Amino acid sequence: DTIITFGDSDILLTPTSSNTADYTFTSSDSSVASITTTSTNTAAIRNLKVGSAIITISQGEDANYQAKTVSYTLTVNPLPVTVTPTATQSKTYGEADLTLTYTTTPALSSSLNNSSTVTFTGSLSRTLGENASTYSITIGTLTNTNYALSFTETDYTINRRPITISAEAKTKVYGATDPSLTYTITAGSIVSGDSASGVLTRTSGEAAGTYTITQNTLTYGSNYDETYQEEYLTITNATVTLTVLDYTKVYDKQFIESSNLSFTATGLVNGDTIDSLLGTPVYTVSGTATNTVGTYSITLSGLSHPSYNIEYVGANATITPATLTITANTLSKTYGDADPELTHTTIGLISGDTFTGTLTRTVGEDVGTYTISNDNLTYGNNYIEVFESGTLTITTKAVTVTA
């Protein structure tokens, strides 16, 4: 009996004998071993597949020898073939699998000594799974019944899918509620059916300024290789309007004092009050004689706040006339004398103020009573003047008679 390996070279049959009759050669299974007669008394056996066949050599009788038959079993064993998956086979999460490749020893498609070539049916496979991870490449359905396969499993990698998550810039006005923090995918793509979990956040703070928007818990999961591009939330200044209150006082010869002036604020947010403003209010009253009766504009400055744009609205300060009562004095003179100075008293006069003009009286020099009235006497526009008249009495003159 003979044992060979699939793919071995042909076996040559060259029997010899003293018998001169021709030989015949047969195979019990020509699908395993086929016989080709190469000459009258020689043949070649070619292995065609794994299995066994009985090879029979027969020789007829001749004049001197009887016929003779010899048989033996030819066994064709599988050819040892090593299948090695190509190293570092991989794909990106979400993509379709590529055909798994491999090399063999003997080499794929190489010719064997029985004129066959190294071929397979079926294909390699891998362990199930579509998440980014490492999987084993297995023999799958790859086969050839004429081979004894030796296979070593190799890793197959599903790589994480690269994406870039880019935050979108946001703004709000100081004191307003934060806008929703949003983002876009600016590089790569999301596999259909996948969605994000978690949220973006920003660095804390409510004063006007710039705050970084961070990734926080936002993610598409472990199947993605995420690059995060930060952006910023800008808090812009709110506007607060500071309005000076109108101010009125009665003339007192004193300049308008800042301590008597005040303002209101409109637009304060976040619990801020006037006391939250920085600096000292500075009131400016227009004009050079702001201690006299008139209307003067008031402007405000000197205040600030890092989170507000401040708008000032001015007002008016009004000094109204004081009430002044002018009372002519009651006077007298003797008939024939010159008039005394016509004098007066006042109620409500501010110290230091003086008058211009004079009083006058009704005309007459005879004994009697004459009314003293106001000719053009005045203390000026700072007063509302009330005049009360007086009298000048001319009395009789004593005459001395000498006899």
Side-chain angles (χ1 to χ4, degrees), residues 259-283:
S259 59
N260 293 324
L261 302 178
S262 61
F263 65 91
T264 60
T266 303
L268 292 170
V269 293
N270 267 12
D272 292 336
T273 65
I274 286 176
D275 290 338
S276 303
L277 301 175
L278 305 177
T280 301
V282 176
Y283 297 95

Side-chain angles (χ1 to χ4, degrees), residues 33-227:
S34 67
I35 298 177
T36 301
T37 300
T38 58
S39 66
T40 302
N41 292 313
T42 60
I45 304 173
R46 176 163 292 178
N47 60 88
L48 299 178
K49 71 176 184 179
V50 170
S52 296
I54 297 173
I55 305 300
T56 301
I57 304 172
S58 299
Q59 188 178 35
E61 64 181 13
D62 67 2
N64 298 313
Y65 295 96
Q66 296 178 348
K68 184 177 181 181
T69 298
V70 176
S71 298
Y72 71 95
T73 299
L74 175 66
T75 300
V76 181
N77 286 335
L79 172 69
V81 175
T82 299
V83 178
T84 303
T86 305
T88 66
Q89 296 189 75
S90 65
K91 72 168 185 174
T92 298
Y93 168 74
E95 295 179 351
D97 278 14
L98 300 176
T99 300
L100 299 174
T101 59
Y102 56 91
T103 59
T104 63
T105 305
L108 193 64
S109 299
S110 62
S111 296
L112 300 177
N113 290 328
N114 66 350
S115 297
S116 68
T117 57
V118 178
T119 58
F120 295 89
T121 61
S123 59
L124 300 181
S125 184
R126 67 173 179 87
T127 51
L128 296 176
E130 289 301 327
N131 290 325
S133 187
T134 300
Y135 300 86
S136 292
I137 297 176
T138 63
I139 193 67
T141 60
L142 191 74
T143 187
N144 188 317
T145 56
N146 294 315
Y147 305 150
L149 298 182
S150 174
F151 181 82
T152 301
E153 291 187 356
T154 302
D155 287 342
Y156 178 84
T157 302
I158 299 180
N159 295 311
R160 294 191 300 163
R161 189 178 187 89
I163 58 171
T164 298
I165 301 172
S166 296
E168 296 181 310
K170 299 290 180 178
T171 61
K172 74 166 186 173
V173 176
Y174 172 69
T177 302
D178 275 14
S180 296
L181 300 180
T182 57
Y183 63 92
T184 57
I185 302 300
T186 54
S189 61
I190 304 302
V191 175
S192 177
D194 286 352
S195 59
S197 63
V199 293
L200 301 177
T201 190
R202 68 171 178 90
T203 50
S204 60
E206 288 301 327
T210 300
Y211 300 86
T212 303
I213 299 173
T214 61
Q215 186 172 4
N216 192 30
T217 59
L218 182 81
T219 182
Y220 279 88
S222 58
N223 288 323
Y224 291 87
D225 181 11
E226 297 171 344
T227 298

Side-chain angles (χ1 to χ4, degrees), residues 13 73 93 140 212 223 315 320-321 324 333-334 345-346 348 358 363 371 392-393 399:
L13 297 177
T73 299
Y93 168 74
T212 303
N223 288 323
T320 61
L324 177 65
K333 74 170 184 172
T334 299
T345 61
T346 59
T358 59
V363 177
T371 300
L392 171 66
T393 301
V399 176

